[in-house]
Amino acid sequence: MAINLEDPKKLKPLREQIHQVAMNMLRPISRKYDKAEHEYPTELDMLAAMADGLAESGQGEGAGATGVRRDSKPDDGTVKNGANMSSVISVSEMCWGDVGLTLAMPRQGLGNSAIASVANDEQHERFDGVWASMAITEPGTGSDSANIKTTATLDGDHYVLNGEKIFVTSGDRSDAVVVWATLDKELGKAAIKSFVVEKGTPGMKVERLEHKLGIKASDTATITFTDCRVPAENLLGSPEINVKEGFAGAMATFDNTRPLVASMAVGCARAALDYTRDLLQQAGVEIDYDRPAHLQSAAAAKFIQLESDYEGAYLLMLQAAWMADNRQPNSKEASMAKAKAGRMGSDVTLSCVELAGTIGYSEGELLEKWARDSKILDIFEGTQQIQQLIVARRVLGLTSAELK
């Protein structure tokens, strides 16, 4: 089955439309909400409404994050460019405008992708339109999601949750939080399940919002759960503990969200490259793609190297999304895209700051902001080091116990 890594024709109008939104609606308010940390960007409500309107008319996916359910099969065996491909293209263009504002979009939470990936039919319908953030990380667990300490104990027709979650994106603004908790610590990874906990549930408390290096337009919360009773039907997917399946059910979410994070890094890097190219041209630096880099100025040679690094990340992102749309296992490719794009994003934006000199370091332009925003994209949804470890396991055919 061949993979075409050009933009599908049907998605080109979508890219162009969202690019206009990013340029005319996000860029103008980017600095405003970078300085007004934790203030909700009310302009995003109109964007979400527009996205929902397009979805209802059959012209878009709507404001909700997408995912591929593990038991889904193509209808006719044909190659598809579907929700995952349109999502990475859309998100990359939005992040060309602003990463923090993209993360703050209503109903675009990572929890929405978890619901789309893992929920059964009844849950899909019940949680349709809910803005869901995702709570995984805990104090002391970091990248080791399998070492989750938050517990979920069945009590009648409810699960009782106890624990603390940190770095929950949109944790204060969202309607609900998808919480990862263990049903039985003794059974390890297989007992970890996802629960939809709606805001206002007794025992759930947003303790604080974090002050951050970048993505300041997005709120990042610490949330505690103290004897928090959640309806049993809010457990996403099957409540059965399948030791053979292990962590696969929960980790299916990451196979969909990691290409999305890669697309965020791609969009932010593209913004920096576009602006830096204009600056270099204004300074009289000629960038000639038909000449060897060593025969050009140092600035032009550096810029060409940055663009090639960007291109590699962009193609890996498209490949991971394409595989998800065509129901192909993409765990390795999703981690490859996330690892490459996360590192590329930081390298490119910081290098563009250097190439731009005083303009790059000044708050008069957005280059310094893009450099700050891009760093988190190499950290959340699995750090650079964790992604390399996952890729190594897939390539070598080793389990997590065999390669730590």
Side-chain angles (χ1 to χ4, degrees), residues 30 33-39 41 95 98-104 110 167-170 173 210-221 261 264-265 268 368-381:
S30 182
Y33 287 105
D34 184 55
K35 290 183 175 294
E37 188 170 14
H38 300 155
E39 182 179 328
C95 289
D98 189 273
V99 176
L101 290 169
T102 301
L103 284 167
L110 295 174
F167 301 128
V168 182
T169 302
S170 298
R173 299 170 184 164
E210 304 294 344
H211 295 278
K212 310 183 295 295
L213 172 72
I215 59 166
K216 292 175 178 287
S218 170
D219 67 308
T220 305
V261 177
M264 294 176 190
C268 189
E368 62 82 27
K369 179 182 182 303
W370 296 333
R372 289 187 287 110
D373 287 347
S374 67
K375 186 56 194 174
I376 190 59
L377 304 176
D378 196 28
I379 297 174
F380 70 6
E381 289 294 286

Side-chain angles (χ1 to χ4, degrees), residues 29-341:
I29 61 174
S30 182
R31 182 65 71 183
K32 170 186 174 181
Y33 287 105
D34 184 55
K35 290 183 175 294
E37 188 170 14
H38 300 155
E39 182 179 328
Y40 177 65
T42 54
E43 294 90 342
L44 297 181
D45 290 335
M46 181 173 65
L47 276 179
M50 289 169 56
D52 289 338
L54 285 173
E56 290 176 6
S57 66
Q59 300 179 55
E61 299 293 338
T66 60
V68 170
R69 297 168 69 182
R70 296 172 64 83
D71 58 352
S72 297
K73 299 291 182 184
D75 295 330
D76 52 12
T78 59
V79 173
K80 297 180 185 295
N81 290 306
N84 287 274
M85 184 69 80
S86 65
S87 290
V88 296
I89 288 175
S90 301
V91 168
S92 66
E93 287 299 337
M94 288 285 285
C95 289
W96 182 90
D98 189 273
V99 176
L101 290 169
T102 301
L103 284 167
M105 275 283 287
R107 299 184 300 289
Q108 283 284 7
L110 295 174
N112 289 101
S113 190
I115 292 171
S117 301
V118 183
N120 59 36
D121 291 338
E122 184 275 332
Q123 291 169 331
H124 268 279
E125 185 174 348
R126 180 152 49 94
F127 296 123
D128 183 42
V130 170
W131 181 3
S133 51
M134 188 152 67
I136 300 175
T137 306
E138 300 178 358
T141 60
S143 296
D144 186 10
S145 298
N147 195 32
I148 282 171
K149 300 292 194 299
T150 298
T151 58
T153 305
L154 185 61
D155 181 19
D157 56 359
H158 285 73
Y159 284 94
V160 181
L161 271 59
N162 281 282
E164 179 181 3
K165 296 292 184 179
I166 58 177
F167 301 128
V168 182
T169 302
S170 298
D172 187 41
R173 299 170 184 164
S174 61
D175 304 316
V177 180
V178 175
V179 182
W180 286 26
T182 179
L183 300 181
D184 188 336
K185 290 182 181 179
E186 300 298 321
L187 294 178
K189 296 183 291 186
I192 294 174
K193 300 291 182 180
S194 302
F195 300 82
V196 178
V197 184
E198 298 180 33
K199 288 294 181 61
T201 302
M204 174 186 180
K205 181 181 179 183
V206 176
E207 296 288 348
R208 67 177 184 274
L209 299 179
E210 304 294 344
H211 295 278
K212 310 183 295 295
L213 172 72
I215 59 166
K216 292 175 178 287
S218 170
D219 67 308
T220 305
T222 291
I223 303 177
T224 56
F225 301 88
T226 306
D227 294 331
C228 181
R229 297 182 65 84
V230 180
E233 60 266 24
N234 282 23
L235 185 155
L236 292 178
S238 171
E240 300 300 321
I241 299 175
N242 187 337
V243 177
K244 290 183 179 180
E245 183 185 63
F247 209 24
M251 293 301 288
T253 302
F254 284 141
D255 296 343
N256 294 302
T257 57
R258 282 172 175 160
L260 287 175
V261 177
S263 74
M264 294 176 190
V266 163
C268 189
R270 184 74 260 164
L273 288 169
D274 288 347
Y275 185 73
T276 302
R277 182 195 289 107
D278 289 343
L279 287 180
L280 292 176
Q281 289 176 345
Q282 292 169 25
V285 175
E286 180 184 357
I287 301 170
D288 189 344
Y289 294 100
D290 294 325
R291 294 171 59 207
H294 69 277
L295 297 179
Q296 301 187 56
S297 68
K302 179 64 175 179
F303 188 84
I304 290 172
Q305 178 257 310
L306 294 175
E307 284 216 310
S308 66
D309 199 20
Y310 162 87
E311 192 72 19
Y314 175 73
L315 293 176
L316 284 169
M317 172 200 78
L318 290 185
Q319 181 187 29
W322 183 93
M323 293 177 72
D325 276 337
N326 289 275
R327 309 315 192 246
Q328 295 184 12
N330 74 331
S331 179
K332 179 182 70 176
E333 289 76 12
S335 287
M336 289 172 67
K338 167 66 168 64
K340 173 67 174 177

